[in-house]
Amino acid sequence: MAGYIARRLLLAIPTLIGITLITFLLLSVAAGDPAQALVSMKGGEYEIEQARRETGTDKPLVVQYLRFLGETFTLDFGDSWVKNRPVSDLILEGIGPSASVTVPAFILATLIAIALALLCAFYRDSLVDRLTVISAVAGLSVSSLAYIIFGQYWVGYRWSLLPVFGYESGLHGIVFLILPWLIWVAISVGSDVRFFRTVMLEEMGKDYVRTAAAKGVPTRTILFRHILKNAMIPIITRVVIAFPFLFVGSLLLERFFGIPGVGYLSIEAVTTNDYPVIKALVVYSGILYILFTIISDVLYALVDPRVRLR
Amino acid sequence: MGRGRLQRHTCARRLLPLAAAVLLPLLGACGADPYPGALPGELHVPLSSAPQSLDPIRGSDQYSNTCISNLYDQLYEYDYYSPTFELKPCLAAAMPEVSEDALTYTIRLRKGVRYIDDTCFRESAGRGREVVASDVKFNILRLMDAKSRSDGTWLFKDRVVGLDAFAAASASPKIPKNTHRSRYDKAEGYPDVDGLEVVDDHTLRIHLIKPYALLPWILTMGYTSVYPPEAVALYGDDLSVQAVGSGPYRLGERPARLKHKLVFERNESYRQDLYPANGTPDMKEFVGQRMPFSPRVIATVFEEDQPAWLYFLSGYLDRSGIPKDSFDQAIDRSTGGLTQALIQQGINLTKDERLDIVYDAFNMEDPNFGSPAGERGLALRRAISLATDVNWQIEHLYTGRARPVQGPILEEFREFDPEFRNPWLRQPGETREAALDRARRVLAEAGYPGGVGAPRLTQDVSAGTTGLQFFQATQADLADIGLKIDALQMSFPDMLKRQRNKESQFWGVAWGADYPDAQNFFQLYYGPNKSPGSNATNFDDPEFNKLYEDAALLLPGPERDRMYRRMQEIVTDQCVWVFRVRRKMYTLVHPWLHGYRYNDLSTKYFKYCRVDENARSLARARLGKPNPWPIVWTSLVLLALVVTTFWAARNTRRAW
């Protein structure tokens, strides 16, 4: 397994170079001169020239790309062009708030979805199953913005049960997170239930389940020890691959609830042409994606002894 | 085959107490109050966008400027309640002494004004030292240092003796970039700046290259805030989230990326600054009392309108604007005043004119619509200006919160001529149809009868629904005279980029005055400021340029008034811009907030505000009373569903 992981990590290097190349081409070639957008309407040619010099965009493209490559491998992307602060500081400050919303909400949503999916699969084609599937589809069809607006208006404003908006770090800040968590769960549980239900149904139809039932194995054991364990590979794939996105945050929730996370940082960077932040976010996301893909492969082997990593 | 039935097991019994142990404290902590532990009299205000930086040299956006102007003092400040934007000394002891040739300004500083205590003052073990004239010089040099990359350099460019040479030298690659630089030594290659003369600790003399009547206004801006070099030495670029000033407030806690909220705490060592006699009527009893009043100010950043609006309605913001989508909830269109619901809450409405102009600009170098197209281009611009139905836009797109504007000289400027009418806008008493007829005649005379043969126009439109709504209005207006227009939607930085590359043909934008002088608008037409400078229209008219240059050498007076009015005639006759509106600011203020008034040029308002905590607490107790019934009902429904499911499970026979 160690050899497999080492090989996958080595393979990540060309993947990362590919990511940097595409990012660089998109930002520095297709999008044009960023210095012109960095200087406000009041600035002129002199200020733009200074901006080019200070940001290094006056250098030849090859030099700029090599510098980006160096930044990628040292994970030091310098200072934000707009905020004049180290990019790593900005991202580190944002990860906590983002994760405090997304990770608990994701875990809660996944647990609820797995439980509902098991229930639906077990009572497939019954009223319980149909009602859950209809609710899941209906929930999926509603825009996430509608959940946010409804939640803030009714739960926060009309019923005064939770703060409409805000963020505080630490335990006393949990009260600000409950509404975003509930909204996240409402938004994501529908699609998760449908996916997990399909996975469970597929497992339930297999011979080993029928054999176990024929041998008199208790239902609980069949459900939780056999079916759930065998359904784990697709579940792990979905869950583990979602993790990198949790650190990137949820744009809408962060924006509507004033959560100072990474999601909003990324959009802010795009709208203000803050290339160092964009580059760092792309590279960090790429690295996380690669790492979590490897982790999911390793987990396959752990949950299913038939899988061998070579 | 087997019989499947969910077995009763102990798992649920174990989980229920656990869930209760976790959920009950959470529910107990629930409640909508976002300010647990608030101080009595604390001021709660919104910011509509996150400030980019608290570093004075980067305070170009309105939100950064709001924070900076309350954390730092400048040499001068606006008389906050003056409708004519009068100035008064702030850190300066008096208004500047100006030499007869208007080339030398002597500024005397107040004595005994101290910075807040901060670890950057190592020599005094953290105790804030006195503000001195050399700090002001350092601040201006740092602003002009090319490596600081401030976009406020335009304030002093071509103005102060020796400063341009300093700026050029600072760009030299021989001088290393040092964000912690607290002095500009000759040994490092920085030239002396003779124009900034520190006479003594409390006197600064500024020597100008040419008269600069705007200088006192410039010295009120956030860019020219006064701060100690020691703060730069310690914090460097971290000044974007730190502040060491002498203003009425200090940062209460290091803000998390300036994204969510900023806490300002009263500067207990703030200089003696008394509430003025011309303040709001509800503050009469506080005239002559020491400011600031509020012990703490929490400025919350709302990137979206809905949460800010709900916060205000719940009493968690002391003042608010009116979001477009909530306009009918706040304003009764039949009366133009507040709706009954808001009146009953005691909310007050103020309507203030903004010192801005919203306009559509042409690229004057465009071959079809600009100067190269000669008379035909001029005719097209005039026809478009005449066809633009500003009144419709005011009613439908601005919900009445704007009024037409005739030219770049606004009513507040001394050169304003009430008799002046822009000939290429719909005249008072002229019907829309008559204005359209005039536009059609102009087109026909230029060889485009009914718009036939006229080139298609492309408008750069900012991304989002609002930009699109304005475009659609223009599209409908132009269709009335047979002209066709396409939209190119993009972000604001991309719009700026296209304008700088002279690629844009036509675009809509608003310009807010930086100071109360029409020069701030005229510089947008001055030929040498062409793209990539501030004159994005690339208008370059020799007569206008000469007048602009001559007027810049004059102090306000009849001669300069005449020049300004002639410049206004030129740009309106040439239809460089389609003048649309100047906007009105509607502000809602809760009855417990006193002393607040909107001021378009000054955001230094925290210190004037006073909160009546008793009134606020009573109102909040009424407005924010939690309603537990939805939780009870939801829990009951969920419980019923769970019980039904388990009941169904126990009684269901199913095959694997």
Side-chain angles (χ1 to χ4, degrees), chain A residues 231-245:
Chain A
M232 269 300 162
I233 286 191
I235 292 175
I236 285 173
T237 310
R238 191 176 171 99
V239 169
V240 175
I241 293 301
F243 260 92
F245 299 104

PDB file of all heavy atoms in Angstrom, chain A residues 231-245:
ATOM      1  N   ALA A 231     -22.275  -1.351   0.859  1.00  0.00           N
ATOM      2  CA  ALA A 231     -22.643  -0.133   0.113  1.00  0.00           C
ATOM      3  C   ALA A 231     -21.643   0.991   0.360  1.00  0.00           C
ATOM      4  O   ALA A 231     -21.773   2.092  -0.158  1.00  0.00           O
ATOM      5  CB  ALA A 231     -24.042   0.315   0.539  1.00  0.00           C
ATOM      6  N   MET A 232     -20.655   0.693   1.181  1.00  0.00           N
ATOM      7  CA  MET A 232     -19.749   1.748   1.625  1.00  0.00           C
ATOM      8  C   MET A 232     -18.873   2.322   0.504  1.00  0.00           C
ATOM      9  O   MET A 232     -18.503   3.488   0.550  1.00  0.00           O
ATOM     10  CB  MET A 232     -18.842   1.232   2.751  1.00  0.00           C
ATOM     11  CG  MET A 232     -19.427   1.462   4.117  1.00  0.00           C
ATOM     12  SD  MET A 232     -19.666   3.213   4.359  1.00  0.00           S
ATOM     13  CE  MET A 232     -20.799   3.223   5.703  1.00  0.00           C
ATOM     14  N   ILE A 233     -18.533   1.497  -0.497  1.00  0.00           N
ATOM     15  CA  ILE A 233     -17.592   2.011  -1.506  1.00  0.00           C
ATOM     16  C   ILE A 233     -18.176   3.227  -2.235  1.00  0.00           C
ATOM     17  O   ILE A 233     -17.545   4.285  -2.262  1.00  0.00           O
ATOM     18  CB  ILE A 233     -17.137   0.894  -2.461  1.00  0.00           C
ATOM     19  CG1 ILE A 233     -16.146   0.012  -1.681  1.00  0.00           C
ATOM     20  CG2 ILE A 233     -16.500   1.457  -3.731  1.00  0.00           C
ATOM     21  CD1 ILE A 233     -15.376  -0.977  -2.480  1.00  0.00           C
ATOM     22  N   PRO A 234     -19.376   3.125  -2.798  1.00  0.00           N
ATOM     23  CA  PRO A 234     -19.912   4.340  -3.427  1.00  0.00           C
ATOM     24  C   PRO A 234     -20.167   5.474  -2.429  1.00  0.00           C
ATOM     25  O   PRO A 234     -19.979   6.649  -2.748  1.00  0.00           O
ATOM     26  CB  PRO A 234     -21.223   3.882  -4.072  1.00  0.00           C
ATOM     27  CG  PRO A 234     -21.495   2.527  -3.555  1.00  0.00           C
ATOM     28  CD  PRO A 234     -20.224   1.954  -3.055  1.00  0.00           C
ATOM     29  N   ILE A 235     -20.537   5.082  -1.201  1.00  0.00           N
ATOM     30  CA  ILE A 235     -20.777   6.135  -0.200  1.00  0.00           C
ATOM     31  C   ILE A 235     -19.459   6.851   0.123  1.00  0.00           C
ATOM     32  O   ILE A 235     -19.397   8.076   0.154  1.00  0.00           O
ATOM     33  CB  ILE A 235     -21.421   5.544   1.082  1.00  0.00           C
ATOM     34  CG1 ILE A 235     -22.835   5.073   0.774  1.00  0.00           C
ATOM     35  CG2 ILE A 235     -21.432   6.564   2.205  1.00  0.00           C
ATOM     36  CD1 ILE A 235     -23.531   4.352   1.929  1.00  0.00           C
ATOM     37  N   ILE A 236     -18.409   6.060   0.307  1.00  0.00           N
ATOM     38  CA  ILE A 236     -17.103   6.669   0.607  1.00  0.00           C
ATOM     39  C   ILE A 236     -16.669   7.573  -0.546  1.00  0.00           C
ATOM     40  O   ILE A 236     -16.195   8.692  -0.335  1.00  0.00           O
ATOM     41  CB  ILE A 236     -16.046   5.571   0.864  1.00  0.00           C
ATOM     42  CG1 ILE A 236     -16.266   4.966   2.247  1.00  0.00           C
ATOM     43  CG2 ILE A 236     -14.632   6.125   0.763  1.00  0.00           C
ATOM     44  CD1 ILE A 236     -15.396   3.757   2.532  1.00  0.00           C
ATOM     45  N   THR A 237     -16.863   7.083  -1.770  1.00  0.00           N
ATOM     46  CA  THR A 237     -16.464   7.904  -2.915  1.00  0.00           C
ATOM     47  C   THR A 237     -17.157   9.253  -2.843  1.00  0.00           C
ATOM     48  O   THR A 237     -16.525  10.298  -2.969  1.00  0.00           O
ATOM     49  CB  THR A 237     -16.870   7.194  -4.235  1.00  0.00           C
ATOM     50  OG1 THR A 237     -16.398   5.866  -4.170  1.00  0.00           O
ATOM     51  CG2 THR A 237     -16.303   7.905  -5.432  1.00  0.00           C
ATOM     52  N   ARG A 238     -18.451   9.215  -2.623  1.00  0.00           N
ATOM     53  CA  ARG A 238     -19.207  10.465  -2.618  1.00  0.00           C
ATOM     54  C   ARG A 238     -18.801  11.358  -1.440  1.00  0.00           C
ATOM     55  O   ARG A 238     -18.620  12.569  -1.600  1.00  0.00           O
ATOM     56  CB  ARG A 238     -20.701  10.139  -2.530  1.00  0.00           C
ATOM     57  CG  ARG A 238     -21.590  11.345  -2.786  1.00  0.00           C
ATOM     58  CD  ARG A 238     -23.036  10.899  -2.781  1.00  0.00           C
ATOM     59  NE  ARG A 238     -23.949  12.021  -2.805  1.00  0.00           N
ATOM     60  CZ  ARG A 238     -24.541  12.476  -3.879  1.00  0.00           C
ATOM     61  NH1 ARG A 238     -24.286  11.933  -5.044  1.00  0.00           N
ATOM     62  NH2 ARG A 238     -25.390  13.489  -3.818  1.00  0.00           N
ATOM     63  N   VAL A 239     -18.619  10.725  -0.287  1.00  0.00           N
ATOM     64  CA  VAL A 239     -18.327  11.515   0.910  1.00  0.00           C
ATOM     65  C   VAL A 239     -16.906  12.083   0.856  1.00  0.00           C
ATOM     66  O   VAL A 239     -16.686  13.268   1.089  1.00  0.00           O
ATOM     67  CB  VAL A 239     -18.525  10.635   2.169  1.00  0.00           C
ATOM     68  CG1 VAL A 239     -17.969  11.334   3.401  1.00  0.00           C
ATOM     69  CG2 VAL A 239     -20.003  10.352   2.368  1.00  0.00           C
ATOM     70  N   VAL A 240     -15.953  11.227   0.514  1.00  0.00           N
ATOM     71  CA  VAL A 240     -14.562  11.678   0.565  1.00  0.00           C
ATOM     72  C   VAL A 240     -14.286  12.723  -0.508  1.00  0.00           C
ATOM     73  O   VAL A 240     -13.601  13.715  -0.261  1.00  0.00           O
ATOM     74  CB  VAL A 240     -13.601  10.477   0.450  1.00  0.00           C
ATOM     75  CG1 VAL A 240     -12.162  10.947   0.376  1.00  0.00           C
ATOM     76  CG2 VAL A 240     -13.781   9.562   1.644  1.00  0.00           C
ATOM     77  N   ILE A 241     -14.854  12.519  -1.681  1.00  0.00           N
ATOM     78  CA  ILE A 241     -14.617  13.485  -2.756  1.00  0.00           C
ATOM     79  C   ILE A 241     -15.260  14.832  -2.408  1.00  0.00           C
ATOM     80  O   ILE A 241     -14.823  15.880  -2.880  1.00  0.00           O
ATOM     81  CB  ILE A 241     -15.148  12.936  -4.100  1.00  0.00           C
ATOM     82  CG1 ILE A 241     -14.318  11.715  -4.526  1.00  0.00           C
ATOM     83  CG2 ILE A 241     -15.126  13.974  -5.199  1.00  0.00           C
ATOM     84  CD1 ILE A 241     -12.837  11.957  -4.695  1.00  0.00           C
ATOM     85  N   ALA A 242     -16.278  14.797  -1.551  1.00  0.00           N
ATOM     86  CA  ALA A 242     -16.937  16.060  -1.178  1.00  0.00           C
ATOM     87  C   ALA A 242     -16.092  16.869  -0.202  1.00  0.00           C
ATOM     88  O   ALA A 242     -16.261  18.082  -0.085  1.00  0.00           O
ATOM     89  CB  ALA A 242     -18.303  15.763  -0.559  1.00  0.00           C
ATOM     90  N   PHE A 243     -15.164  16.191   0.502  1.00  0.00           N
ATOM     91  CA  PHE A 243     -14.424  16.883   1.562  1.00  0.00           C
ATOM     92  C   PHE A 243     -13.640  18.113   1.090  1.00  0.00           C
ATOM     93  O   PHE A 243     -13.688  19.155   1.741  1.00  0.00           O
ATOM     94  CB  PHE A 243     -13.509  15.904   2.301  1.00  0.00           C
ATOM     95  CG  PHE A 243     -14.120  15.453   3.596  1.00  0.00           C
ATOM     96  CD1 PHE A 243     -14.891  14.299   3.655  1.00  0.00           C
ATOM     97  CD2 PHE A 243     -13.969  16.208   4.738  1.00  0.00           C
ATOM     98  CE1 PHE A 243     -15.487  13.899   4.842  1.00  0.00           C
ATOM     99  CE2 PHE A 243     -14.566  15.820   5.928  1.00  0.00           C
ATOM    100  CZ  PHE A 243     -15.328  14.655   5.985  1.00  0.00           C
ATOM    101  N   PRO A 244     -12.879  18.022  -0.032  1.00  0.00           N
ATOM    102  CA  PRO A 244     -12.143  19.228  -0.447  1.00  0.00           C
ATOM    103  C   PRO A 244     -13.071  20.430  -0.630  1.00  0.00           C
ATOM    104  O   PRO A 244     -12.696  21.555  -0.337  1.00  0.00           O
ATOM    105  CB  PRO A 244     -11.510  18.821  -1.781  1.00  0.00           C
ATOM    106  CG  PRO A 244     -11.479  17.349  -1.767  1.00  0.00           C
ATOM    107  CD  PRO A 244     -12.611  16.892  -0.916  1.00  0.00           C
ATOM    108  N   PHE A 245     -14.291  20.142  -1.099  1.00  0.00           N
ATOM    109  CA  PHE A 245     -15.224  21.247  -1.348  1.00  0.00           C
ATOM    110  C   PHE A 245     -15.721  21.861  -0.034  1.00  0.00           C
ATOM    111  O   PHE A 245     -16.129  23.014   0.001  1.00  0.00           O
ATOM    112  CB  PHE A 245     -16.397  20.774  -2.210  1.00  0.00           C
ATOM    113  CG  PHE A 245     -15.950  20.282  -3.553  1.00  0.00           C
ATOM    114  CD1 PHE A 245     -15.891  18.919  -3.828  1.00  0.00           C
ATOM    115  CD2 PHE A 245     -15.540  21.170  -4.529  1.00  0.00           C
ATOM    116  CE1 PHE A 245     -15.436  18.456  -5.054  1.00  0.00           C
ATOM    117  CE2 PHE A 245     -15.089  20.719  -5.758  1.00  0.00           C
ATOM    118  CZ  PHE A 245     -15.032  19.357  -6.028  1.00  0.00           C
TER     119      PHE A 245
END
